[in-house]
Amino acid sequence: MREDAESLDIRDVTANWVNAEVLRRQIEARIKSLADLAHTPLFFGRLDYEHAPGADPAGQAGRNGQAGGAGAGGGAADGSGGAADDGPPGTGGDAATALYIGRRHVHDADGDPMVIDWRAPVSQPFYQASKKQPMDVVLRRRFGYTGGDLTAYEDEHLMDPAEAVRTSRLLQQEIERPRVGPMRDIVATIQPEQDEIVRSGLTGTVCVQGGPGTGKTAVGLHRVAYLLYAHRERLARTGTLVIGPNASFLRYIEQVLPALGELEVRQATIGELVGQVPVHGTDDPAAALVKGDARMAEVLRRALRSHVVPPQEPLVVVRGSRRWRIPAYELEEIVGELLARDIRYGAARDALPQRIAHAVLVRMEQAGEAPDDRVQDAVARNAAVKAVVKTVWPAVEPAKLVLRLLSDADFLAAHAEGLLTEEEQKTILWTRPPRSIRSAKWSAADAVLVDEAADLVSRTTSLGHVVLDEAQDLSPMQYRAVGRRCSTGSATVLGDLAQGTTPWATSSWDEALRHLGKSDAVVEELTAGFRVPREVISYASRLLPAIAPGLAEVDSVRESPGSLSVVRTTPGELTAAVLAACGEALRHEGSIGLIAADVRVPVLAEALASTGVPYLQPGEETTAASRLTLVPASLAKGLEYDYVVLDEPGAIVTAEPDERTGLRRLYVCLTRAVSGLAVLHSGPLPARLA
């Protein structure tokens, strides 16, 4: 398929160089999307239908025998069977009833399908079919691969009452496969409850509450891939966006969509999304809390509209030998009407000269003239009209508006009256007001305010679909910023209320969705855990009553005896014990995460360097020579490692501004392990873990 695309000759099929360039880029994108992925098979499953999909079952008499071909009884998960059975199905099956399921659509030289895309409707039974609801599937086969080589297969005869329901060993092995490198796709292991979310429609917004290891991030990314498959033309016009909490997280997930053939999805952090001013400053938690409050949107709206000044003098427009006079009261009525419509400040400012010109044209018509649209446009560009607009409805730069609000106590007080208390106003005022926009040390919360002001002036462009991950950590103003990017589209909101680690973390999804502008969103909850061992998640869940009362504990499907160890040492021996635990973890296959409070990271980095142990920064890809990543607790969210060594839990808690936030941060760190967790401490553990 790739060679066919590379061999296309477009020299004589385009009318001009513009068309040729567009077509050339489309072909290049097609070739890139067809790149082979190392150690990634093109198919991972097979479905043998009782009847040909789409055909009339009444016409299929005599073709509903047991399908499966040679060895249909199932190859062992250890690779003892299956590799030889890659031909057409045997008894009861043929090319019309047997379909191979894979990451991409693959066709042969004649254009006939060999592998069906996992997103196609006919592939859905691979994820949804069961003994109770076989969905016309006689046999479901899962293939096992090692390094890209077919090594095993498993069969389920969904219509055979004599065959007992059993857990797939291949599925379990795939879930537990070591996590070396960035996040992988999960198309071979999507569970029924995940599949329902993945395939939900484009028009509705879905909010997924999922604890650690439930696969909510993967579900969100695969939903994007599905929507691009089902609504490609629409989303090609409107665009898609994935928003993550930080750059490390985005680097970790950046290969998932390309592996599924989707190359055009933009990824960004909230900071990059609202980056109209450079962020060089920081806020203390109290100031950030007020700046992130939804009340600031009304403060900004009032401040912006205060620039509109009622006209004090009449307008006189001279055209040729005639003078047309618009009295001040009529100008005031025009301005008042535009204000009452509550449209964008910039749109109203653009409309004002046309409204004034219309009033002039009415007088021309009353005097017997017959002006047309060209005359109205000329009047709107008249110097006298422009002067009135400049005085009455002046242009406002969003950053300057926010700068004045945060620098001028009187200006802030005038527009925050009844919204912010005097203490809250003092909290957000700059102690040393900058002289200009360029010299201001904008904080992340300030940038969101500038983005809000910019939208009040001119509407933000809306995308077709936005995925918002780790959504529980956003402030109301940040939700509004994201909501503007999907005001006419839909969203997939992913998060876990128990992992909210900012002072402004949301307390409920209803509140968050209201600020996002998607109050009608459907909230789904994933409670089945596939990544974190039961022993580890049960230990971490001791914190839930303190950090998220009422939230259901994740029910892990994986038991791994010995996966958790908690060791106490003396303060002088802690660093050495941590390094020893890292050495023990490195004896296992897979990635290792050494997670510590941010203040402890330099100490541990120096210790690792002095002992010659190479380590990576969060988000960097692991290699055979370097599998250990040193992770500050503040950047651990969303990352996964096969083995985690957790340094001094008490220090992680005390590093946060309050105990609840600290315990939530610790909950995040405790649940990053996929195979094993070693907790080392010299100080006391939090009470619920002691």
Side-chain angles (χ1 to χ4, degrees):
M1 291 169 67
R2 186 173 62 253
E3 289 170 355
D4 285 346
E6 290 172 339
S7 65
L8 291 174
D9 186 352
I10 63 171
R11 286 176 296 182
D12 298 325
V13 298
T14 55
N16 52 57
W17 70 270
V18 175
N19 292 344
E21 181 65 17
V22 171
L23 186 55
R24 183 185 65 80
R25 293 196 177 191
Q26 290 176 339
I27 292 175
E28 287 178 353
R30 171 68 172 166
I31 294 170
K32 188 176 180 180
S33 72
L34 290 171
D36 289 320
L37 299 175
H39 311 305
T40 300
L42 287 175
F43 64 93
F44 51 79
R46 191 179 93 185
L47 293 175
D48 287 8
Y49 280 90
E50 183 176 21
H51 309 98
D56 181 7
Q60 299 291 329
R63 295 178 56 187
N64 58 352
Q66 289 295 317
D78 60 3
S80 59
D85 185 27
D86 57 355
T91 59
D94 57 23
T97 59
L99 302 176
Y100 285 86
I101 312 301
R103 287 165 176 77
R104 303 290 308 280
H105 169 82
V106 182
H107 62 246
D108 61 17
D110 297 322
D112 295 324
M114 299 175 68
V115 178
I116 305 299
D117 195 301
W118 66 276
R119 297 167 288 188
V122 75
S123 300
Q124 189 170 10
F126 185 78
Y127 304 107
Q128 293 285 348
S130 65
K131 283 278 190 178
K132 291 183 178 180
Q133 291 185 316
M135 301 174 72
D136 202 42
V137 174
V138 175
L139 176 140
R140 172 169 53 202
R141 173 168 293 176
R142 299 182 190 275
F143 294 98
Y145 291 85
T146 302
D149 294 326
L150 177 61
T151 54
Y153 70 86
E154 275 183 348
D155 285 350
E156 295 174 82
H157 297 89
L158 300 180
M159 294 186 179
D160 183 359
E163 183 177 285
V165 177
R166 64 182 186 273
T167 302
S168 168
R169 290 177 61 190
L170 286 180
L171 189 66
Q172 193 76 7
Q173 288 175 356
E174 174 63 23
I175 289 173
E176 296 176 358
R177 189 153 55 98
R179 269 143 184 75
V180 177
M183 183 179 181
R184 302 187 297 260
D185 66 76
I186 61 165
V187 289
T189 62
I190 293 174
Q191 299 300 294
E193 63 272 22
Q194 296 174 329
D195 185 66
E196 290 178 3
I197 297 172
V198 166
R199 295 177 190 268
S200 42
L202 176 62
T203 56
T205 289
V206 177
C207 175
V208 182
Q209 158 64 39
T214 55
K216 57 184 177 297
T217 296
V219 166
L221 294 175
H222 286 68
R223 187 178 182 220
V224 171
Y226 171 77
L227 292 176
L228 286 168
Y229 174 88
H231 308 278
R232 188 168 301 280
E233 290 188 7
R234 178 175 174 181
L235 290 178
R237 295 192 305 270
T238 56
T240 52
L241 172 68
V242 175
I243 303 173
N246 52 58
S248 298
F249 178 83
L250 292 179
R251 286 196 298 270
Y252 178 62
I253 68 170
E254 65 182 355
Q255 296 302 319
V256 174
L257 289 170
L260 300 174
E262 303 300 345
L263 307 174
E264 302 301 322
V265 180
R266 180 188 165 203
Q267 297 182 352
T269 64
I270 286 287
E272 292 168 340
L273 202 65
V274 300
Q276 300 192 40
V277 292
V279 174
H280 299 301
T282 56
D283 286 315
D284 61 60
L289 195 62
V290 177
K291 289 179 180 180
D293 194 289
R295 293 172 294 169
M296 289 300 299
E298 177 60 21
V299 174
L300 287 166
R301 194 187 75 89
R302 290 181 183 179
L304 180 62
R305 289 165 68 94
S306 71
H307 288 78
V308 179
V309 180
Q312 303 297 322
E313 298 179 355
L315 167 68
V316 177
V317 176
V318 178
R319 281 188 60 81
S321 60
R322 302 294 299 271
R323 296 163 60 88
W324 309 99
R325 183 178 182 275
I326 308 296
Y329 76 85
E330 189 170 343
L331 293 174
E332 189 172 355
E333 288 177 357
I334 293 173
V335 171
E337 184 182 343
L338 287 173
L339 284 172
R341 290 175 61 190
D342 201 25
I343 59 178
R344 293 296 194 283
Y345 185 92
R349 187 174 189 273
D350 293 339
L352 181 57
Q354 289 291 336
R355 297 297 300 275
I356 294 174
H358 177 73
V360 173
L361 259 65
V362 169
R363 283 163 171 74
M364 289 182 177
E365 291 170 347
Q366 290 172 345
E369 296 189 16
D372 55 19
D373 290 344
R374 290 175 297 177
V375 175
Q376 180 167 332
D377 290 339
V379 172
R381 294 192 300 269
N382 184 275
V385 174
K386 287 183 176 180
V388 169
V389 172
K390 185 176 181 180
T391 302
V392 172
W393 210 295
V396 176
E397 188 175 342
K400 286 185 177 179
L401 177 67
V402 176
L403 180 72
R404 185 179 176 189
L405 266 177
L406 301 180
S407 304
D408 187 335
D410 293 336
F411 187 66
L412 175 61
H415 304 298
E417 184 179 359
L419 294 172
L420 304 180
T421 65
E422 291 185 10
E423 187 62 32
E424 287 174 325
Q425 293 175 35
K426 291 179 182 178
T427 300
I428 65 174
L429 279 170
W430 282 331
T431 53
R432 294 184 178 179
R435 294 182 178 180
S436 65
I437 294 175
R438 290 188 176 183
S439 63
K441 290 188 176 180
W442 301 100
S443 69
D446 297 335
V448 178
L449 295 179
V450 173
D451 188 73
E452 178 82 27
D455 184 71
L456 290 170
V457 173
S458 180
R459 182 183 294 277
T460 304
T461 301
S462 175
L463 299 169
H465 193 76
V466 170
V467 175
L468 175 61
D469 206 351
E470 301 296 347
Q472 73 281 344
D473 275 335
L474 270 62
S475 70
M477 292 298 288
Q478 287 174 323
Y479 281 121
R480 290 175 61 87
V482 175
R484 288 192 284 276
R485 270 74 185 180
C486 56
S487 59
T488 59
S490 57
T492 301
V493 181
L494 312 167
D496 179 11
L497 296 178
Q499 296 187 56
T501 52
T502 57
W504 48 83
T506 189
S507 58
S508 74
W509 289 122
D510 287 343
E511 176 189 352
L513 293 168
R514 178 166 50 82
H515 293 309
L516 193 69
K518 304 293 182 183
S519 297
D520 57 347
V522 176
V523 180
E524 303 280 0
E525 186 170 6
L526 296 175
T527 57
F530 304 99
R531 301 291 191 265
V532 185
R534 183 173 299 171
E535 294 78 4
V536 174
I537 196 65
S538 295
Y539 181 69
S541 294
R542 297 182 191 178
L543 299 174
L544 284 178
I547 61 177
L551 201 63
E553 179 180 337
V554 172
D555 182 18
S556 178
V557 301
R558 296 178 54 215
E559 288 189 14
S560 182
S563 58
L564 172 68
S565 67
V566 182
V567 179
R568 182 163 191 170
T569 70
T570 63
E573 298 174 341
L574 178 61
T575 300
V578 167
L579 294 186
C582 290
E584 180 65 27
L586 285 167
R587 295 180 183 178
H588 300 284
E589 185 182 3
S591 58
I592 316 298
L594 171 53
I595 304 178
D598 293 30
V599 294
R600 282 276 294 165
V601 168
V603 176
L604 294 172
E606 184 178 350
L608 289 170
S610 64
T611 54
V613 178
Y615 64 91
L616 304 167
Q617 302 295 326
E620 292 183 341
E621 186 170 345
T622 55
T623 64
S626 185
R627 295 185 290 120
L628 174 67
T629 302
L630 179 55
V631 187
S634 60
L635 297 181
K637 189 171 297 181
L639 305 179
E640 284 184 344
Y641 302 94
D642 288 289
Y643 293 88
V644 167
V645 177
L646 185 64
D647 172 89
E648 199 64 273
I652 294 174
V653 176
T654 57
E656 301 298 329
D658 60 82
E659 184 182 29
R660 190 187 74 159
T661 303
L663 291 175
R664 285 182 167 184
R665 181 77 70 188
L666 177 58
Y667 179 77
V668 170
C669 297
L670 287 169
T671 54
R672 300 305 93 200
V674 173
S675 297
L677 169 67
V679 178
L680 295 100
H681 66 105
S682 60
L685 289 171
R688 293 185 179 273
L689 297 182

